C-alpha cells in the first residue's frame, strides 16, 4: 500500500506521517529530506549555489539509501537527517528543487527507496507526480501564521516571527510555481486543514481513512 501526503511547509506532514507509519507498520519516507540532502552536500562543497549545472552534478553524485534499522536517510552511506534542518538548507533545498533535472534524480531515488514496500511518503508532488496511483492520497493545508508558529517551535536558532513568516511565504511561492512538480492539490486527495486541529486530531482522521480503505479492500469491494 502507498499512502501519499502533500502540502506546504510546516503543515504537520512529517509528524503525522511518522505516527501513522508506526500504527500501520508502513515505511515512512520524507521526500523533502532527499532535496535537503542535495542542498547539504552542495553547500558543504563550497560550489556556487547559482550554478545549476553544478547543483545537478551534486545531485547526480548523491547516493541515497535508508537505514535498515530506523528508516532514516543516509547520504553516501552516512546518516545526515540531523544536519538538514537549518534556515540555509530550507532556502537552498527549495531553490534547487525547482531544477527539473534535480527533481528527476530525486524522484527516481524516491521510487527506488520505496521499492515494493508498504510506505507512507510525504512531500509536495507525491500525490501528483511520484506516486499518482497511490491507494490513499492526502493534502494537508494550514494558515501561514500557524505554520510559522509551528516552525518556530521546531527550530532551535529561532528567527523573529515576521522573518520566518516571510521565509515560509517565499518557499510556498517557489513550491507552488515550479515548472515541474509544483505543489498542488490533487483532485482525488483527501483535504485536511490542520490550522485548528491538534496533531492527534489530524492523525485520527488519517488513521480512520486508512482503516476504512483496508476494510473495504479486505471485503473485496
Ligand atoms: O518538506 P521539506 O520542507 O523538508 O522540503 C524541503 C524542500 O524540498 C521544500 O522547500 C520543497 C522541496 N520539496 C519538493 O520540491 N518536493 C517534494 N516532494 C518534497 C520537498
Amino acid at each position: 500500500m502507498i499512502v501519499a501526503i502533500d502540502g506546504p511547509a510546516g503543515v504537520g506532514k512529517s509528524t503525522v506521517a511518522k505516527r501513522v507509519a508506526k500504527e500501520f507498520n508502513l515505511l515512512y519516507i520524507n521526500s523533502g529530506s532527499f532535496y535537503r540532502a542535495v542542498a547539504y552536500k552542495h553547500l558543504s562543497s563550497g560550489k556556487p549555489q547559482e550554478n545549476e549545472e553544478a547543483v545537478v552534478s551534486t545531485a547526480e553524485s548523491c547516493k541515497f539509501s535508508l537505514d535498515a534499522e530506523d528508516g532514516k536517510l543516509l547520504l553516501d552511506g552516512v546518516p545526515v537527517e540531523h544536519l538538514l534542518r537549518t534556515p540555509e538548507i530550507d532556502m537552498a533545498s527549495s531553490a534547487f528543487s525547482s531544477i527539473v533535472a534535480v527533481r528527476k534524480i530525486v524522484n527516481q531515488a524516491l521510487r527506488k527507496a520505496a521499492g515494493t514496500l508498504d510506505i507512507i511518503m510525504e512531500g509536495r508532488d507525491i500525490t501528483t507526480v511520484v506516486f499518482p496511483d497511490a491507494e490513499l492520497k492526502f493534502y494537508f493545508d494550514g494558515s501561514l501564521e500557524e505554520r510559522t508558529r509551528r516552525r518556530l517551535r521546531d527550530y532551535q536558532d529561532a528567527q523573529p516571527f515576521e522573518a520566518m513568516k516571510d521565509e515560509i511565504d517565499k518557499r510556498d511561492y517557489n513550491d507552488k510555481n515550479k515548472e515541474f512538480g509544483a505543489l498542488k492539490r490533487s483532485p482525488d486527495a483527501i483535504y485536511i486543514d490542520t490550522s485548528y486541529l491538534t496533531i492527534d486530531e489530524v492523525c485520527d482522521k488519517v488513521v480512520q481513512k486508512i482503516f476504512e480503505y483496508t476494510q473495504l479492500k479486505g471485503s473485496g469491494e
Side-chain angles (χ1 to χ4, degrees), residues 6 9 13 30-33 35-36 85 90 93-94 97 103 110 122-126 151 171 175 178 181:
D6 284 326
K13 301 183 299 280
N30 178 337
S31 66
S33 294
Y35 289 100
R36 286 175 181 273
R85 284 162 220 277
D90 282 357
S93 58
S94 178
S97 67
R103 299 201 72 80
L110 291 170
E122 49 103 349
R124 306 292 190 286
D125 63 341
I126 310 307
R151 271 290 139 122
R171 286 219 289 148
D175 291 345
K178 282 172 189 148

Side-chain angles (χ1 to χ4, degrees), residues 139-155:
Y139 187 92
F140 288 6
D141 215 345
S143 73
L144 181 58
E145 281 71 18
E146 186 50 36
R147 291 186 290 122
T148 306
R149 274 191 281 278
R150 288 180 190 161
R151 271 290 139 122
L152 284 173
R153 279 199 298 265
D154 290 350
Y155 280 25

